Amino acid sequence: MEFAELIKTPRVDNVVLHRPFYPAVEGTLCLTGHHLILSSRQDNTEELWLLHSNIDAIDKRFVGSLGTIIIKCKDFRIIQLDIPGMEECLNIASSIEALSTLDSITLMYPFFYRPMFEVIEDGWHSFLPEQEFELYSSATSEWRLSYVNKEFAVCPSYPPIVTVPKSIDDEALRKVATFRHGGRFPVLSYYHKRNGMVIMRSGQPLTGTNGRRCKEDEKLINATLRAGKRGYIIDTRSLNVAQQTRAKGGGFEQEAHYPQWRRIHKSIERYHILQESLIKLVEACNDQTHNMDRWLSKLEASNWLTHIKEILTTACLAAQCIDREGASILIHGTEGTDSTLQVTSLAQIILEPRSRTIRGFEALIEREWLQAGHPFQQRCAQSAYCNTKQKWEAPVFLLFLDCVWQILRQFPCSFEFNENFLIMLFEHAYASQFGTFLGNNESERCKLKLQQKTMSLWSWVNQPSELSKFTNPLFEANNLVIWPSVAPQSLPLWEGIFLRWNRSSKYLDEAYEEMVNIIEYNKELQAKVNILRRQLAELETEDGMQESP
């Protein structure tokens, strides 16, 4: 297929662009295979370059011969184009609709993009499983790398290389894979060097209504326990939902077969419930009625902050089991590709200082989201405006980034990256010139040959000139475990994502100003805490010197 076939009118003059908080701009509108471009001859006017893949929905309206196209983007922007001539407007709208909904991944922009910067680092090879394994292999000899999934035959959504207990051979892993949803047998997610406890993740066990069991599965997860120790299984579904899945062949671990493990159910919503929550939230943020009560009511009705609280609470529970209880944990929901990854990732941010650095966080995204099989292509296919919803679309990754922002806001000196880094990841997950977030798992990315045919996001991000934009100037390495508050007053709306395009309303401005004040206060408080911490360390050192002979 040629893109020219879809572009009925490639260029229109005298088009007027309207954007919130910008003066109207008149210029020439051009359509290419991947971009909508509006350029103006006016001085000091930026060109608009919009990826077609960033377009979520469009609306058309006409007044006489003047046509108007309203473009709603996946990053929640809304822009308006006034186009002279009804035929031109209809042609442009038709082309945009076709180009923004291409069926073939190989027709998307990452396969055509050629970088204008010098590639210093190949991001595709920056965070390989072997490199990550070396980071903790010196602290323990109880784990090994398994290549059992080398051809993606055991588990299509797992990477070719996974970390498993050394005492479990590959044949046992194959048997366990037949007992877990989607073949997702328990694998190592995180090793806590301070006490040797681990986080494992998997899909649900396929116990069914007959209470099926798998002795290899029991042996595998018991291999992570120390002598005399108990472990916790955190199921990210309510007990009722978990019981209902047994009728479909799913289920949960029976206590009789896993006596050393205590099962805890923490309900985290999924799929259409999350998508509807996002739609309601964005609708509230676009409400221009200037009524504070209405705004707050809509915000509460969206339940977005409730989802944030549920996810963070479960992540804190997981971190508490590891750090305070000294117990290893296994985390799963149904598939193990959504809420499971939210919890394992956030628990590591709470526990592990490296995950709060730029490269450490990039490694976390690679390991716990991309390699772990989060289906980005499905989940991020549409955003908050599209009318044709599929059941698999959900803002799972955006919720995770929001949770990270909440922790960053509470501990502004403990993160090497800033808010812009998180916003950038959100934008590229939904529309990008890079191939990093294409596909639903490593198997699909291999078939698409993304490493050979596209550029990695990390190759661009990790340039010194770009890193400076994403670096937090307040960062001071903090090797402690950080415990975020999940109290409602501690979890505000992420204005950097949801209010950045529409802060014109008076009540939104007031809310934004209040959030900024809270953030500044927290920064000052954190700085004072760090000063006191250093002073205390100095006093302890002086006392030690006085006591020594």
Side-chain angles (χ1 to χ4, degrees):
M1 185 203 75
E2 295 291 332
F3 289 116
E5 298 173 14
L6 302 177
I7 303 174
K8 299 176 181 178
T9 303
R11 168 177 169 161
V12 181
D13 293 320
N14 304 317
V15 174
V16 180
L17 167 68
H18 300 274
R19 291 178 292 178
F21 316 115
Y22 288 89
V25 176
E26 182 176 326
T28 299
L29 177 70
C30 297
L31 288 185
T32 71
H34 296 104
H35 287 92
L36 179 154
I37 306 166
L38 189 131
S39 58
S40 172
R41 293 178 181 174
Q42 298 175 18
D43 293 336
N44 302 319
T45 302
E46 277 189 35
E47 287 186 327
L48 171 70
W49 284 69
L50 182 67
L51 273 172
H52 295 314
S53 57
N54 192 14
I55 296 173
D56 207 27
I58 67 170
D59 294 329
K60 305 179 290 288
R61 62 171 182 253
F62 300 93
V63 179
S65 61
L66 179 67
T68 295
I69 298 177
I70 298 171
I71 298 176
K72 300 177 180 180
C73 302
K74 293 176 184 177
D75 60 7
F76 311 137
R77 262 184 298 177
I78 298 179
I79 60 177
Q80 178 179 317
L81 298 171
D82 293 340
I83 301 174
M86 183 178 292
E87 183 179 353
E88 287 82 357
C89 183
L90 287 171
N91 286 344
I92 292 291
S94 173
S95 297
I96 291 173
E97 286 177 334
L99 291 165
S100 62
T101 56
L102 295 173
D103 291 331
S104 174
I105 294 178
T106 55
L107 292 176
M108 298 182 77
Y109 188 46
F111 286 92
F112 297 82
Y113 171 73
R114 294 296 175 263
M116 301 295 288
F117 59 89
E118 182 184 358
V119 180
I120 301 171
E121 174 186 351
D122 180 4
W124 291 115
H125 296 93
S126 294
F127 308 105
L128 299 176
E130 296 94 335
Q131 297 168 350
E132 293 296 304
F133 181 72
E134 287 177 7
L135 294 175
Y136 51 80
S137 60
S138 59
T140 176
S141 59
E142 298 172 352
W143 298 85
R144 69 178 180 92
L145 290 176
S146 170
Y147 299 82
V148 69
N149 199 43
K150 192 172 183 180
E151 304 297 328
F152 304 105
V154 176
C155 176
S157 63
Y158 268 176
I161 307 171
V162 292
T163 304
V164 295
K166 185 177 281 189
S167 60
I168 306 299
D169 61 29
D170 284 354
E171 187 55 38
L173 294 178
R174 291 187 183 93
K175 292 180 180 178
V176 176
T178 64
F179 180 69
R180 291 279 171 175
H181 188 105
R184 294 177 69 87
F185 55 88
V187 297
L188 180 68
S189 172
Y190 171 68
Y191 179 85
H192 197 49
K193 289 183 178 179
R194 292 184 185 180
N195 59 12
M197 298 299 106
V198 299
I199 298 176
M200 297 189 78
R201 49 176 162 77
S202 70
Q204 67 174 338
L206 304 178
T207 57
T209 53
N210 295 327
R212 179 186 169 207
R213 66 183 294 190
C214 174
K215 291 186 178 180
E216 288 81 6
D217 185 83
E218 296 160 21
K219 182 181 178 182
L220 193 162
I221 69 168
N222 283 334
T224 66
L225 296 178
R226 300 279 175 84
K229 287 281 189 178
R230 287 174 59 87
Y232 292 91
I233 297 171
I234 298 178
D235 193 323
T236 60
R237 308 164 294 180
S238 67
L239 177 58
N240 186 42
V241 169
Q243 288 174 334
Q244 289 174 4
T245 61
R246 293 166 66 182
K248 299 177 182 179
F252 49 85
E253 293 80 1
Q254 300 291 328
E255 292 179 8
H257 302 152
Y258 299 85
Q260 293 173 273
W261 295 82
R262 180 189 170 196
R263 195 177 69 251
I264 303 172
H265 290 271
K266 300 293 289 184
S267 178
I268 296 176
E269 297 292 357
R270 305 183 307 144
Y271 297 147
H272 68 279
I273 294 176
L274 299 181
Q275 190 67 19
E276 289 170 6
S277 178
L278 177 65
I279 292 169
K280 290 179 181 178
L281 174 61
V282 172
E283 180 186 332
C285 292
N286 290 334
D287 189 335
Q288 299 295 314
T289 58
H290 300 260
N291 184 301
M292 178 66 87
D293 291 338
R294 179 186 172 94
W295 150 248
L296 291 174
S297 176
K298 280 193 167 187
L299 176 62
E300 184 178 6
S302 75
N303 283 324
W304 184 264
L305 295 177
T306 301
H307 301 317
I308 296 291
K309 184 177 186 293
E310 289 171 349
I311 297 165
L312 277 174
T313 299
T314 308
C316 287
L317 172 65
Q320 185 175 355
C321 291
I322 294 287
D323 189 66
R324 294 184 175 174
E325 298 288 328
S328 291
I329 56 176
L330 170 66
I331 301 174
H332 69 74
T334 301
E335 293 91 351
T337 57
D338 293 291
S339 57
T340 298
L341 306 183
Q342 290 173 328
V343 176
T344 59
S345 303
L346 291 167
Q348 290 177 58
I349 288 168
I350 293 168
L351 293 166
E352 177 56 53
R354 176 176 175 255
S355 296
R356 306 193 287 265
T357 65
I358 291 175
R359 289 195 72 88
F361 192 74
E362 291 172 355
L364 184 76
I365 298 297
E366 275 286 340
R367 187 177 66 250
E368 294 299 301
W369 289 88
L370 293 161
Q371 294 170 13
H374 177 66
F376 279 98
Q377 199 72 40
Q378 292 180 346
R379 298 289 183 268
C380 301
Q382 304 294 343
S383 186
Y385 296 119
C386 186
N387 296 321
T388 56
K389 296 299 177 205
Q390 303 295 329
K391 66 177 182 179
W392 53 72
E393 291 162 352
V396 176
F397 188 62
L398 175 55
L399 273 164
F400 161 70
L401 293 176
D402 198 331
C403 289
V404 176
W405 177 78
Q406 300 288 348
I407 305 175
L408 186 155
R409 179 185 162 276
Q410 294 182 30
F411 297 89
C413 299
S414 296
F415 288 80
E416 186 184 17
F417 53 85
N418 58 24
E419 178 187 24
N420 293 331
F421 187 62
L422 301 176
I423 294 173
M424 176 272 297
L425 289 172
F426 157 67
E427 292 175 340
H428 282 276
Y430 280 85
S432 179
Q433 66 268 44
F434 304 105
T436 300
F437 291 107
L438 291 182
N440 292 307
N441 48 58
E442 290 293 280
S443 175
E444 289 188 12
R445 294 184 190 104
C446 283
K447 290 174 184 174
L448 291 167
K449 297 182 179 179
L450 294 185
Q451 292 191 20
Q452 294 79 29
K453 296 184 176 181
T454 72
M455 180 66 57
S456 167
L457 173 65
W458 313 128
S459 297
W460 170 70
V461 169
N462 291 329
Q463 299 175 95
S465 58
E466 297 300 326
L467 276 178
S468 61
K469 302 173 187 175
F470 304 127
T471 302
N472 175 13
L474 297 174
F475 175 62
E476 185 174 328
N478 176 7
N479 292 322
L480 301 174
V481 175
I482 56 176
W483 298 102
S485 168
V486 295
Q489 62 268 28
S490 300
L491 303 175
L493 182 67
W494 187 4
E495 78 285 349
I497 286 286
F498 298 109
L499 302 183
R500 60 176 170 159
W501 307 116
N502 40 16
R503 288 182 185 145
S504 60
S505 300
K506 182 173 181 290
Y507 62 90
L508 293 183
D509 281 337
E510 290 173 354
Y512 174 68
E513 185 177 347
E514 183 179 349
M515 290 177 192
V516 169
N517 291 336
I518 292 172
I519 290 170
E520 292 302 320
Y521 173 75
N522 278 345
K523 287 178 181 177
E524 293 174 7
L525 195 63
Q526 184 72 28
K528 291 177 181 177
V529 168
N530 289 334
I531 291 170
L532 289 171
R533 190 181 290 147
R534 285 196 298 269
Q535 291 174 344
L536 182 61
E538 289 171 2
L539 287 172
E540 290 175 347
T541 303
E542 290 175 5
D543 290 344
M545 292 174 65
Q546 291 173 4
E547 291 173 6
S548 57

